[in-house]
Amino acid sequence: MRKLLNTIYITNEKAYLCLDGENLVCKVDDEYKFRIPFDNVENIVCFSYLGCSPALMGKCVDKYTD
């Protein structure tokens, strides 16, 4: 079974996304806001100026280029 429509929308302009092991982590002002398993996420839409870490970007590329 495939889970559909698991999209994360980041609207806080101070948010920064990164990887911690196999988890997607959102930090705002060096405070952790949420942590979810990366495999549960299908899409990430980020309206943030800070964006995301290079490790997270590489993980996203690896997930969808296989």
Side-chain angles (χ1 to χ4, degrees):
M1 179 190 305
R2 182 173 175 202
K3 296 179 183 179
L4 298 175
L5 302 175
N6 293 330
T7 302
I8 301 287
Y9 291 94
I10 306 297
T11 58
N12 187 334
E13 57 190 36
K14 294 182 180 180
Y16 183 72
L17 299 176
C18 59
L19 266 179
D20 183 17
E22 291 295 317
N23 294 315
L24 172 67
V25 177
C26 179
K27 296 193 313 188
V28 176
D29 296 328
D30 293 326
E31 180 183 336
Y32 292 105
K33 291 298 179 180
F34 67 83
R35 173 187 306 265
I36 57 173
F38 182 78
D39 290 335
N40 291 347
V41 177
E42 189 169 319
N43 296 308
I44 300 171
V45 179
C46 187
F47 299 101
S48 168
Y49 176 73
L50 296 177
C52 62
S53 70
L56 177 60
M57 294 169 94
K59 182 90 169 169
C60 291
V61 169
D62 289 343
K63 183 175 180 178
Y64 292 109
T65 57
D66 290 338

